[in-house]
Amino acid sequence: MRPFDTIAMVDWSGGNDTGPRPRKDAIWACVAGAEPVYLRNRMLAEGWLCDVIETALAAGRRLMLGFDFPFGYPAGFACAVSGSDDPLRLWDWFEARVEDAPCANNRFDLAGEINRGLGGKGPFWSNGLKRDIAGLPRTKRVYRNPFPDRRAVEHRARGTFTCWQMAGAGAVGGQVMMGLPVLARLRRRFAGRVSAWPFEPLDKPVALVEIWPSLTLGKAPEGRIKDAWQVERVAGDLAGLPQAELSRRLDVTAPEEGWILGVDQG
């Protein structure tokens, strides 16, 4: 495998625009060797990502882009929703249905719609809006999940959160739902030049990979925003890995659910 010349990492968010002042629980991105970048909403983040990809392609540099949200769901979900167990088909399915703007999106309504199509009590739960949404329970009192609660990789990585929770402490469900459409558009815009790991061979100039910074990083230094510090550290750490070790970590088989880079598959 040809070495990566540029490493960039992104800490994602499923929420609304976070304002002009850099803050925590927002989108932060970092190219190894550079300062972290604050991106107040997903529209700006997608533009930044396109610029990074175009710059790398124009320079003939191989690029790894990491994102801190699951690239797939537990087994069975993709086929039940999209008609195929190919996770990249599911990316396209979400891209066709997610409505997103800086200050509003339909992630809770879409979660309720999916639940209603699967019986009305799951797999998604927790509504972060004041209005009720048919099919999306606020708590787990009447919750029923027709799929596994976690992916195989999440059983190996302690401290991870289920992708079914849409709101509340530790929720990553919104990040997944609002992130996959962006990845789908990147694959379409740069068709033939982007590979999605671990679903495709890494034989293209750009690789999209799933990360989880808390896998290896502890508490941020005093005065640093944790999200900004984490993407800076992960980008730098991956850039400094020997090629043989990075290749070993990328040698993973998880064609439906995806995997977190750095978790040993055993």
Side-chain angles (χ1 to χ4, degrees):
M1 182 179 70
R2 176 186 160 194
F4 291 97
D5 306 296
T6 301
I7 305 283
M9 298 289 120
V10 183
D11 182 280
W12 202 248
S13 171
N16 294 333
D17 187 291
T18 48
R21 185 175 181 178
R23 48 162 284 186
K24 66 177 183 177
D25 299 326
I27 300 174
W28 285 89
C30 187
V31 175
E35 293 293 318
V37 177
Y38 170 68
L39 300 160
R40 58 186 288 178
N41 60 57
R42 285 177 295 281
M43 291 79 241
L44 292 175
E46 188 168 346
W48 183 88
L49 290 164
C50 289
D51 288 345
V52 169
I53 293 174
E54 288 170 351
T55 298
L57 291 174
R61 297 177 64 84
R62 191 150 191 254
L63 169 67
M64 174 187 283
L65 277 174
F67 299 84
D68 74 329
F69 58 81
F71 280 13
Y73 286 86
F77 177 75
C79 188
V81 172
S82 70
S84 170
D85 59 8
D86 179 357
L88 300 180
R89 284 273 299 275
L90 184 63
W91 290 15
D92 293 334
W93 188 93
F94 274 115
E95 198 275 331
R97 290 162 178 81
V98 165
E99 299 169 5
D100 199 8
C103 294
N105 64 74
N106 69 335
R107 68 187 189 276
F108 296 111
D109 291 290
L110 185 55
E113 179 183 328
I114 293 171
N115 281 2
R116 293 193 299 273
L118 296 170
K121 295 185 178 181
F124 295 104
W125 70 280
S126 190
N127 176 6
L129 302 180
K130 293 181 179 180
R131 60 180 173 85
D132 290 336
I133 296 175
L136 183 62
R138 291 187 181 276
T139 70
K140 284 191 166 183
R141 186 174 60 85
V142 297
Y143 176 74
R144 297 291 185 276
N145 189 350
F147 309 105
D149 190 56
R150 295 176 182 272
R151 301 178 297 162
V153 67
E154 287 149 0
H155 288 292
R156 288 183 168 269
R158 294 184 60 183
T160 53
F161 296 92
T162 172
C163 60
W164 305 124
Q165 184 180 348
M166 294 298 295
V172 299
Q175 293 182 34
V176 183
M177 199 173 288
M178 306 311 295
L180 296 185
V182 174
L183 301 187
R185 286 192 291 273
L186 292 177
R187 289 186 72 246
R188 185 169 63 242
R189 176 167 178 164
F190 299 101
R193 292 172 288 178
V194 173
S195 297
W197 178 84
F199 312 127
E200 300 176 303
L202 294 182
D203 56 1
K204 305 293 190 298
V206 180
L208 308 178
V209 304
E210 178 185 338
I211 62 168
W212 183 46
S214 295
L215 179 68
T216 57
L217 300 180
K219 186 178 180 181
E222 186 72 27
R224 292 293 307 272
I225 294 174
K226 181 180 179 181
D227 303 329
W229 174 74
Q230 285 191 332
V231 290
E232 181 181 45
R233 278 290 309 274
V234 174
D237 290 350
L238 287 174
L241 273 183
Q243 176 63 22
E245 174 60 17
L246 182 56
S247 295
R248 186 192 69 79
R249 296 187 187 189
L250 290 167
D251 185 14
V252 164
T253 301
E256 182 179 353
E257 295 186 336
W259 202 259
I260 298 169
L261 180 62
V263 176
D264 190 358
Q265 198 167 30

